[in-house]
Amino acid sequence: MASPQNSTSGIRDNRNYGSVGDYLKEYIQPNSELSFVSAYFTVYAFNQLKDHLKDIDKLRFLFGEPSFLKQIDPEKTDKKSFKIEDDGLSLMNRLSQKRVARECADWIREKAEVRSIKIPNFLHGKLYHIQNDRVENAILGSSNFTVNGLGLGNARNVELNLIVDSDRDRKDLKRWFEDVWESKDIVEDVKEEVLEYLKQIYADYSPE
């Protein structure tokens, strides 16, 4: 995406004010520590950002809405299906799904912790907090971690996000994230379930 028309604004809307995806590309660096909150995480959003994500120190990803989980076959298995794919992607992208899913799984296994809110309709906000040594950057708003939510696709969602430009507020957001992240009464670890679902994609998926 080109530079935002309103370059002095802290708004990122995937339209006239720049995108969250470009914001992440600008501030994610080698050894960054990332703390993200989103209802969705998709492999194609990862693929769009993988050159920036591959050398981070770690990601803590919190799914803000557990409805992305559903039983695949409740009569026969406890496996769950995750919202891992982006809607409206080209056939070429669909055909590359196995490769992307494997790369994403390898990266999550090495770099990420993944947890989810347990309670439906409990956490609605989206947060992208980036820590580079003692320097913090953050953006807060409506964009999920999907290709179009981040403004990296051909059918970009119109979103409303705001760069957090106060040191106090960035630190407060980090403390808020850590408080929720460690709250075992409302949060559970789902990393192995995400990895298992990705394994199903790259092991079993064959395009029709």
Side-chain angles (χ1 to χ4, degrees), residues 36-53:
F36 291 175
V37 180
S38 171
Y40 302 126
F41 175 100
T42 68
V43 295
Y44 290 111
F46 160 79
N47 193 52
Q48 289 277 355
L49 293 170
K50 67 179 181 181
D51 288 342
H52 300 269
L53 293 171

Side-chain angles (χ1 to χ4, degrees), residues 2-58:
S3 298
Q5 296 176 20
N6 300 278
S7 58
T8 61
S9 175
I11 294 172
R12 294 294 179 268
D13 69 346
N14 298 342
R15 188 169 176 265
N16 295 327
Y17 290 83
S19 72
V20 173
D22 285 343
Y23 177 87
L24 296 179
K25 289 179 180 180
E26 180 177 356
Y27 288 104
I28 293 174
Q29 301 174 10
N31 300 314
S32 289
E33 296 182 6
L34 310 180
S35 302
F36 291 175
V37 180
S38 171
Y40 302 126
F41 175 100
T42 68
V43 295
Y44 290 111
F46 160 79
N47 193 52
Q48 289 277 355
L49 293 170
K50 67 179 181 181
D51 288 342
H52 300 269
L53 293 171
K54 64 182 181 180
D55 293 322
I56 66 165
D57 180 57
K58 65 179 180 180

Side-chain angles (χ1 to χ4, degrees), residues 112-129:
E113 297 177 67
V114 189
R115 298 182 185 179
S116 174
I117 291 288
K118 299 178 184 180
I119 307 166
N121 300 313
F122 190 66
L123 175 57
H124 297 275
K126 283 75 179 179
L127 169 67
Y128 300 91
H129 184 282

Side-chain angles (χ1 to χ4, degrees), residues 32 48 58 67-69 88 92 98 103 107 113 132 134 140 144 149 161 177 179 181 197 201:
S32 289
Q48 289 277 355
K58 65 179 180 180
S67 65
F68 74 97
L69 293 166
M92 183 175 295
K98 182 181 291 190
E103 290 178 355
W107 178 81
E113 297 177 67
N132 293 309
R134 296 184 179 181
L140 185 70
N144 281 307
N161 304 278
F177 178 91
D179 179 64
W181 182 261
Y197 186 67
I201 294 175

